[in-house]
Amino acid sequence: MRLKKAVKTVFFTEILQGMALTLRSMFSHAVTRQYPKEKRPAMPGFRGMHAFVRDAKTGREKCIACGLCGAVCPSQCIHIYTREDDLEQKKVIDRYEIEALRCVYCGFCVEACPVGAIALTEHYEYSDYSRQALYFDKEKLLDNWDRMMAGKKGEEYFEKFWFPKRDSFRSYDGQAVFRKPKEEAK
Amino acid sequence: MGEAVGEKGFQTKELTVSMGPQHPATHGVLKLVLDLDGETVVKCTPYVGYLHRGVEKLGENRTYFSALPLTDRLDYISSMSNNVGYVNAVETLFGIEAPERAKYIRTICAEMSRISSHIIWVATHALDIGAMTVFLYSFREREWILDLFEMLTGARLTVSYPRIGGVRNDVSQEFLDSLYKFVLEFPGRVDEYETLIDQNRIWLQRTKGIGIISAEEAVNWGLTGATLRGSGVNYDVRKANPYDVYDKVQFDVPLGKAGDVYDRYRCRMEELRQSARIIKQCIEQIPAGPILAPEAHKFVLPPKENVLKSMEALIHHFILITKGPLTAPVGEVYSATEVPKGELGFYIVSDGSGKPYRMRVRAPSFVHASVLPRLSEGHLLADVIANIGTIDIVLGECDR
Ligand code: SF4
Ligand code: SF4
């Protein structure tokens, strides 16, 4: 025991072991991503910048001006101004504003919306030089939808990431359970 | 100020140094005022509160549902554990229980966040003491685990994933498979960190015999978590008062002996392996089933398919979101969970309205910060850094 310790002290074995690990890593693949040049796509369902759903049928926003998203928002960053439209006989939004700088990207607004009129996109690079650019009004939000979620992607978003679903309250076919990894199964 | 005349007739004076709040080694915005006699710390006074956001008060103005993201921001490097602690407290208050599958998922998530928190801890602790390499290795695994979080919840850090009565969304097969791969590989990665520092003579000199606290004293100071277990006290909320599915999995609670910085380091490294073990068992046992309690429809948002079709569901939906659960019982509850830092408790008083009347957070970091003078006084200035690291504080939680 004491001999072992003496050897260790004289020959710096523990340091050499550490060095060996470093040397080994020198010949393995680099794990670093060169971020601004090399971007990893966000995972599906990522909670990023907001978008307002444009209804394919009417070409307008889907929102029914119920105000639930503003009520649930924990950082209270959604401002909704509504009025009653006499012509259409329904409530419509006058102004709809989201202060993205105060948003915490919890996704509760999506969960609260009864009609699926608001979505969070996979866009995560929201830095800008002015506050104004990150103060979204209705037009900007609709524009976000056209840019990032139009077509199939938007439909899929609500199918997959609009919770809770009926399936959340029961077991269903194809629910994920333990599956042996392939190497072992062979 | 004590003045003394040195051997050669020089006059020496105690020096007061202010360390922090902007100091990279204080893990956030902790401010320490140190009275130094040469290099030795005579007196150490921690000042906290630079990151105070009034989380407890904010909680009183949110419904139980919307208060969840606030807890993400307590201990922001293991937000999932706080979420789990919060929903467990609220569920106990409401007297509802999450389904089995949801409990498994929560346990998996809580252990994942324990791993991610301990990885950061070992990385920064070693970096503070002067071993930079560990930092680079451990961030490789942290990236991996954050990717897994992103896959499951859609966010990397502030996950807001559990819900009162269950969890937000089901786990996918892809997620379970990649997580299983991770837990098989992870213990090997822990070995790598240990190769770098475990026996390293500089590391041993900087950590052994520093910041010793005896078992009795540690209990008296109210320490919890690995900071307490490093002194050899076998107390772990997961064992003492099991929540979720901790009573259905096997794991050991690693204990230290000497109660110094090194033993606490050993405890946490061992906990990393145990966490991987818990996750592995959970994945192997996870049953199929609901992820939100179907019988708790007064507290859980109704399914989206029903909202626009059934009047009941629509009313529930509106009331739950604007007012909170109207059927919340009057009473109070204290519920503790074991988070990476120690025992996180939520004390919630309900007056029957949809919002908590009072929400108090028992933050382990706050208690641990108070023991800093006891650990540091009499040691060298450089050991203060080791002591800040070893009690594992996060100021977001400490100041709340
Ligand atoms: S994501 Fe959360 S914080 Fe942001 S607007 Fe929606 S509800 Fe508010
Ligand atoms: S919850 Fe949906 S429908 Fe209601 S105001 Fe918000 S976006 Fe519009």
Side-chain angles (χ1 to χ4, degrees):
Chain A
M1 203 56 215
R2 199 180 286 166
L3 186 73
K4 222 174 164 186
K5 208 174 160 201
V7 170
K8 215 178 111 188
T9 318
V10 176
F11 292 105
F12 291 86
T13 44
E14 87 281 3
I15 308 263
L16 287 179
Q17 274 168 358
M19 295 286 209
L21 177 67
T22 312
L23 198 68
R24 249 186 292 137
S25 315
M26 265 175 70
F27 297 104
S28 62
H29 282 291
V31 288
T32 333
R33 239 175 261 126
Q34 303 298 330
Y35 163 61
K37 284 187 209 140
E38 225 179 277
K39 280 179 198 163
R40 181 181 65 94
M43 306 260 180
F46 185 80
R47 308 203 300 249
M49 193 189 263
H50 307 258
F52 226 27
V53 180
R54 194 189 284 282
D55 198 344
K57 280 186 223 131
T58 59
R60 286 174 52 187
E61 74 278 355
K62 245 181 158 181
C63 176
I64 53 166
C66 68
L68 282 190
C69 51
V72 80
C73 180
S75 53
Q76 296 170 354
C77 65
I78 305 185
H79 309 292
I80 310 163
Y81 303 89
T82 58
R83 87 185 131 82
E84 304 217 347
D85 195 315
D86 296 332
L87 255 175
E88 289 183 57
Q89 298 260 316
K90 65 174 189 184
K91 219 171 164 192
V92 288
I93 43 172
D94 252 349
R95 270 159 61 205
Y96 185 99
E97 285 157 4
I98 295 184
E99 288 177 64
L101 289 174
R102 272 175 61 192
C103 171
V104 298
Y105 297 95
C106 58
F108 281 6
C109 43
V110 182
E111 235 162 284
C113 184
V115 291
I118 189 164
L120 294 178
T121 65
E122 286 163 24
H123 185 86
Y124 55 87
E125 286 164 317
Y126 19 68
S127 42
D128 213 293
Y129 289 105
S130 71
R131 280 176 171 268
Q132 209 50 44
L134 288 161
Y135 199 92
F136 301 135
D137 55 16
K138 196 174 87 185
E139 273 63 44
K140 267 192 205 160
L141 288 166
L142 283 169
D143 184 50
N144 283 350
W145 177 265
D146 293 342
R147 267 192 303 137
M148 286 173 284
M149 300 287 265
K152 261 238 145 62
K153 202 169 173 198
E155 277 169 42
E156 261 174 34
Y157 177 85
F158 283 102
E159 252 165 54
K160 277 197 195 151
F161 305 110
W162 194 27
F163 297 108
K165 294 265 186 231
R166 239 178 244 167
D167 276 348
S168 307
F169 295 90
R170 61 182 179 203
S171 51
Y172 56 93
D173 285 344
Q175 216 168 13
V177 284
F178 174 57
R179 195 164 69 178
K180 267 208 168 144
K182 290 206 181 69
E183 298 85 60
E184 267 182 50
K186 253 186 249 167
Chain B
M1 284 285 122
E3 287 192 24
V5 180
E7 283 166 33
K8 292 191 177 151
F10 293 122
Q11 281 219 326
T12 59
K13 224 187 193 175
E14 271 178 24
L15 191 68
T16 306
V17 180
S18 174
M19 180 176 160
Q22 281 106 350
H23 189 289
T26 55
H27 291 212
V29 284
L30 174 68
K31 179 183 172 186
L32 295 175
V33 175
L34 302 164
D35 290 353
L36 300 176
D37 177 14
E39 282 264 342
T40 317
V41 178
V42 181
K43 188 161 168 259
C44 164
T45 323
Y47 287 83
V48 296
Y50 288 88
L51 209 57
H52 178 68
R53 292 145 300 168
V55 167
E56 293 176 359
K57 192 72 196 165
L58 284 173
E60 292 166 23
N61 296 302
R62 304 276 185 284
T63 59
Y64 289 101
F65 180 78
S66 327
L68 182 77
L70 298 175
T71 63
D72 276 332
R73 283 142 186 91
L74 291 172
D75 172 4
Y76 36 78
I77 58 177
S78 62
S79 43
M80 188 70 93
S81 313
N82 307 330
N83 288 171
V84 170
Y86 173 73
V87 293
N88 265 311
V90 177
E91 279 170 12
T92 324
L93 176 71
F94 291 171
I96 56 177
E97 204 173 338
E100 198 67 9
R101 185 176 173 85
K103 285 187 177 177
Y104 270 96
I105 299 176
R106 277 187 201 170
T107 312
I108 290 174
C109 293
E111 290 307 314
M112 275 166 73
S113 84
R114 189 180 317 278
I115 290 181
S116 84
S117 166
H118 279 6
I119 286 178
I120 285 242
W121 169 81
V122 68
T124 51
H125 187 42
L127 185 67
D128 292 345
I129 292 186
M132 170 126 188
T133 326
V134 190
F135 180 82
L136 303 173
Y137 282 87
S138 47
F139 265 62
R140 178 183 57 189
E141 274 72 64
R142 180 172 159 79
E143 185 65 23
W144 191 352
I145 211 156
L146 289 188
D147 284 352
L148 286 169
F149 268 136
E150 189 185 334
M151 197 193 257
L152 177 63
T153 69
R156 292 164 71 80
L157 272 182
T158 47
V159 287
S160 300
Y161 175 65
R163 291 286 181 273
I164 296 158
V167 292
R168 173 173 169 257
N169 56 310
D170 204 352
V171 291
S172 64
Q173 190 68 52
E174 191 195 358
F175 170 80
L176 277 193
D177 291 350
S178 15
L179 183 63
Y180 199 70
K181 204 168 138 233
F182 173 82
V183 290
L184 290 186
E185 218 163 289
F186 185 66
R189 302 292 174 92
V190 182
D191 293 343
E192 280 187 5
Y193 314 150
E194 287 186 344
T195 317
L196 289 167
I197 47 176
D198 210 36
Q199 298 300 322
N200 186 302
R201 58 198 70 194
I202 307 170
W203 178 258
L204 291 182
Q205 269 179 13
R206 290 294 306 275
T207 55
K208 278 215 161 165
I210 307 293
I212 299 180
I213 189 158
S214 69
E216 196 192 339
E217 234 181 317
V219 173
N220 289 347
W221 276 97
L223 304 185
T224 44
T227 317
L228 174 70
R229 292 192 286 272
S231 303
V233 184
N234 192 351
Y235 175 70
D236 187 321
V237 184
R238 290 173 296 172
K239 283 272 189 213
N241 204 349
Y243 52 98
D244 288 344
V245 291
Y246 284 110
D247 47 352
K248 294 195 185 117
V249 289
Q250 266 129 37
F251 63 101
D252 304 327
V253 179
L255 295 178
K257 271 199 205 92
D260 58 0
V261 176
Y262 185 75
D263 274 23
R264 288 189 280 268
Y265 151 77
R266 286 290 338 143
C267 279
R268 292 205 175 95
M269 290 313 257
E270 208 44 56
E271 269 180 25
L272 280 175
R273 293 201 179 85
Q274 294 301 331
S275 287
R277 197 173 145 203
I278 296 174
I279 299 178
K280 186 159 175 278
Q281 293 174 49
C282 281
I283 298 180
E284 283 162 4
Q285 294 172 12
I286 191 168
I291 54 163
L292 278 168
E295 65 277 7
H297 61 278
K298 294 234 165 93
F299 304 104
V300 180
L301 290 185
K304 282 277 146 7
E305 293 97 330
N306 292 2
V307 168
L308 283 186
K309 295 211 185 98
S310 121
M311 196 68 197
E312 298 268 289
L314 188 66
I315 292 172
H316 268 316
H317 187 83
F318 267 71
I319 288 195
L320 267 175
I321 282 174
T322 49
K323 295 216 169 100
L326 293 182
T327 41
V330 182
E332 52 185 53
V333 65
Y334 176 80
S335 148
T337 46
E338 180 83 15
V339 297
K341 308 285 177 309
E343 174 182 329
L344 174 75
F346 281 94
Y347 176 64
I348 299 177
V349 182
S350 159
D351 57 356
S353 70
K355 297 170 183 176
Y357 176 75
R358 172 87 171 93
M359 181 171 106
R360 155 101 181 118
V361 185
R362 188 248 184 234
S365 296
F366 180 66
V367 182
H368 290 181
S370 68
V371 80
L372 210 50
R374 157 71 188 75
L375 293 180
S376 303
E377 277 164 18
H379 281 301
L380 297 182
L381 176 58
D383 296 330
V384 175
I385 304 294
N387 283 329
I388 295 173
T390 192
I391 53 174
D392 196 8
I393 51 174
V394 159
L395 271 293
E397 182 182 64
C398 179
D399 300 343
R400 303 195 284 291

